[in-house]
Amino acid sequence: MMGRLDSGQDKLFYSFNLDNHVPQSHLLRGIDRFLDLRDLRRHLAPFYSPMGRPSIDPELMIRMLIVGYCFGIRSERRLCEEVHLNLAYRWFCRLGLEDAVPEHSTFSKNRHGRFRDSDLLRHVFESVLSRCMAEGLVKGEGFAIDASIIKADASPARGVPGTEPIDWGRADGQSRAVREYLEALEQANPVAADTSEPASSSAPPKKISLTDPAARWTAAPGGPAFFAYSTNYLIDLQAGIIVDVEATPANRSQEVESTRTMIDRVQHQRDLKPRRLVGDTAYGTAALLGWMVEEKQIEPHVSVWDKTERKDNTFSRSEFIWDEEANEYRCPAGNALRCDWRPLKNPRTHITKADTIVYRSSEKNCNRCSIKNQCCPNMSFRKITRSIHEAARDEARRIAATPEYKQSRRQRKKVEMLFAHLKRILKLDRLRLRGPSGAHDEFLMAATAQNLRRMAKWLTPEGKQANQAAT
């Protein structure tokens, strides 16, 4: 007999248990098992008034943000709608069927106020990292470093040439991103803070966004240029856990400099210092290699940034032999290249502003040399520039010839996979918050979500079964 939908009188009482309607294999169950926010209220207590109306529970907002970043829900307005409709999301956020979902504007008010003042998102990231370490997912033996470019919420059409003076207008009419940019300029150069031009000793950027001035004008190979930030990940190689994250403009020198910041911070806060650090050629600069080897005693599993190889069929620097005791090079013909050819009453270091020492051959020796055309055909003598960190560069070259280096190169793919997951699964290929603080918040929340997902999929029985089925 064909059934019929009962359209009779509504029931007076319902028995409904939300927990029974969330599958045991749901990702949020695994995440909830490892998410501990009990310390949240104590961390935020100094930023709330003891009087007045009760506010929205900050734990509820953090849980909602975690849902949004874990499932690629980029809009906070849509996030509120999804939490309102989805039973699993309500269960994770500790909301009953009749509990109201906060307005989307609540997130903006708290983010620009208490959350940033207390650096709450960094606190949440660190608490999740502590759980990762407690579960044995962080070994601390090897770290990998890399950066990925993320588009800023800034239209290329709203950009002006970097050499053009900009009138940023009155302070009360400026956007939050512009005020943040100008405050950073004032801290970097207080004397020039009142001018309408960016105060910097370096070359001005090619283009500046009027919407988000701190974003950097950049372009991927073969693609159009855009304004962007870089998310910098420092991961532990055992399980691919993100141990630190830093937001920088999309600039290679700032990306490389963030390596020092993250390694120092992890060492200070977690007492973790890796035995080896894995990175691509961008991290093979002489200064960074010197810092790793000489100051931190970290093995650099990094390709050396070397532009000394010549392509004009003349001798490259690698064909000159270094004599440490004599402090000189020997050319293929056996002649010396020195930084001092005569004794000086006041000895000099000969170190240039680029932290290098220039070694020159004797013009007399070069003029009578039979292979001069293969060495310096267009100059009267040959010179070689040697970094003061050349010993660290030699150490990196030595490591590059070992089997351990080949293994490190394979393990470095773990951080690249995290960036692919960040953009394709979490949908963070474009920021929706502006300014360095906005990038800082988004990158921290995304890294927190990735660590939580990793624990849920590695440590829960359901996650282990799924991983075994996938392999």
Side-chain angles (χ1 to χ4, degrees):
M1 183 176 69
M2 184 180 296
R4 181 185 296 273
L5 181 66
D6 185 11
S7 58
Q9 184 178 4
D10 292 340
K11 294 182 180 180
L12 292 177
F13 301 99
Y14 288 88
S15 176
F16 187 89
N17 188 343
L18 191 58
D19 184 77
N20 294 337
H21 293 265
V22 180
Q24 292 297 322
S25 60
H26 199 285
L27 177 64
L28 286 179
R29 281 195 179 274
I31 290 176
D32 186 67
R33 186 177 302 178
F34 299 105
L35 180 63
D36 185 1
L37 298 177
R38 288 177 295 180
D39 194 42
L40 196 68
R41 292 180 175 277
R42 185 186 63 81
H43 181 78
L44 281 173
F47 300 89
Y48 280 86
S49 172
M51 300 180 294
R53 291 170 47 189
S55 67
I56 301 294
D57 190 345
E59 181 177 346
L60 170 60
M61 288 186 284
I62 292 299
R63 286 182 173 271
M64 288 181 65
L65 287 174
I66 289 174
V67 168
Y69 280 90
C70 280
F71 294 95
I73 304 173
R74 302 290 297 130
S75 166
E76 287 170 354
R77 186 186 297 270
R78 180 170 164 250
L79 174 62
C80 293
E81 295 173 355
E82 292 290 336
V83 172
H84 175 73
L85 294 172
N86 193 298
L87 294 181
Y89 296 171
R90 277 185 172 270
W91 172 86
F92 180 77
C93 294
R94 308 293 193 263
L95 292 173
L97 287 177
E98 297 180 353
D99 292 333
V101 177
E103 291 288 335
H104 65 89
S105 60
T106 306
F107 293 95
S108 298
K109 293 177 181 177
N110 282 275
R111 181 190 304 111
H112 299 311
R114 300 183 184 97
F115 286 6
R116 284 187 182 167
D117 293 342
S118 64
D119 204 7
L120 177 64
L121 301 185
R122 169 65 68 175
H123 174 78
V124 174
F125 171 81
E126 295 291 345
S127 66
V128 171
L129 177 59
S130 296
R131 186 58 185 269
C132 292
M133 296 175 65
E135 296 293 338
L137 294 181
V138 178
K139 187 177 180 181
E141 183 274 336
F143 285 175
I145 182 75
D146 207 352
S148 185
I149 295 176
I150 307 293
K151 290 183 179 179
D153 184 24
S155 171
R158 289 276 296 161
V160 297
T163 55
E164 180 179 314
I166 302 173
D167 183 10
W168 294 107
R170 293 172 52 86
D172 54 3
Q174 296 164 353
S175 68
R176 185 176 287 103
V178 171
R179 291 198 301 271
E180 191 175 350
Y181 170 73
L182 295 179
E183 288 171 3
L185 282 183
E186 184 175 359
Q187 292 177 2
N189 191 347
V191 176
D194 296 333
T195 66
S196 59
E197 298 183 10
S200 176
S201 58
S202 59
K206 187 175 182 180
K207 202 171 185 179
I208 294 179
S209 170
L210 299 178
T211 306
D212 189 352
R216 191 78 176 201
W217 183 251
T218 186
F226 51 88
F227 292 106
Y229 286 91
S230 287
T231 177
N232 300 269
Y233 277 6
L234 183 67
I235 74 163
D236 184 86
L237 288 172
Q238 181 183 16
I241 295 297
I242 305 167
V243 295
D244 206 354
V245 56
E246 186 77 8
T248 62
N251 176 270
R252 177 169 290 173
S253 62
Q254 290 176 291
E255 293 171 1
V256 172
E257 190 61 27
S258 70
T259 305
R260 306 183 190 222
T261 301
M262 291 190 287
I263 289 180
D264 283 340
R265 184 159 53 205
V266 171
Q267 183 178 4
H268 175 71
Q269 296 181 353
R270 301 287 172 182
D271 196 23
L272 279 178
K273 189 183 74 170
R275 180 182 64 83
R276 59 192 170 105
L277 181 67
V278 184
D280 58 23
T281 311
Y283 301 91
T285 60
L288 187 59
L289 290 175
W291 178 77
M292 282 192 278
V293 174
E294 299 160 8
E295 185 173 337
K296 291 295 183 179
Q297 290 78 49
I298 298 174
E299 293 183 6
H301 288 233
V302 179
S303 299
V304 178
W305 182 276
D306 192 355
K307 298 296 182 181
T308 62
E309 292 298 316
R310 294 191 172 188
K311 299 179 181 179
D312 58 356
N313 296 323
T314 59
F315 295 136
S316 298
R317 193 182 71 175
S318 58
E319 298 177 76
F320 290 72
I321 300 174
W322 170 249
D323 188 338
E324 182 71 33
E325 293 184 3
N327 189 28
E328 66 182 22
Y329 280 97
R330 286 284 172 176
C331 73
N335 296 316
L337 287 81
R338 299 170 182 162
C339 58
D340 264 331
W341 277 98
R342 57 185 179 86
L344 299 175
K345 182 179 296 185
N346 297 319
R348 303 174 186 174
T349 62
H350 299 283
I351 299 176
T352 66
K353 293 181 179 179
D355 286 338
T356 60
I357 300 175
V358 180
Y359 291 81
R360 297 176 174 84
S361 62
S362 167
E363 185 174 350
K364 180 180 179 181
N365 291 337
C366 288
N367 287 336
R368 64 188 182 189
C369 182
S370 60
I371 57 174
K372 183 178 184 301
N373 289 334
Q374 294 178 262
C375 185
C376 50
N378 301 320
M379 297 181 64
S380 57
F381 60 90
R382 178 66 185 263
K383 62 181 180 180
I384 290 179
T385 301
R386 179 181 175 86
S387 171
I388 61 174
H389 306 294
E390 196 64 31
R393 284 158 58 90
D394 290 339
E395 176 66 10
R397 294 187 184 101
R398 183 195 65 79
I399 293 173
T402 62
E404 290 79 8
Y405 178 81
K406 294 181 180 180
Q407 180 186 0
S408 295
R409 301 299 292 177
R410 291 192 295 268
Q411 290 179 321
R412 194 173 67 84
K413 295 179 181 178
K414 291 182 179 181
V415 67
E416 296 172 352
M417 291 171 63
L418 282 170
F419 289 140
H421 179 268
L422 177 72
K423 295 180 179 180
R424 296 182 182 180
I425 306 301
L426 304 191
K427 310 297 183 184
L428 187 55
D429 56 351
R430 182 187 178 94
L431 295 172
R432 58 180 184 81
L433 304 181
R434 293 173 178 168
S437 294
H440 168 85
D441 292 350
E442 291 226 56
F443 295 158
L444 274 174
M445 282 305 304
T448 302
Q450 287 183 297
N451 282 347
L452 285 169
R453 288 176 63 110
R454 182 58 58 95
M455 279 194 289
K457 292 188 175 183
W458 276 54
L459 301 176
T460 61
E462 297 80 13
K464 291 179 181 178
Q465 292 176 3
N467 289 333
Q468 291 173 0
T471 55

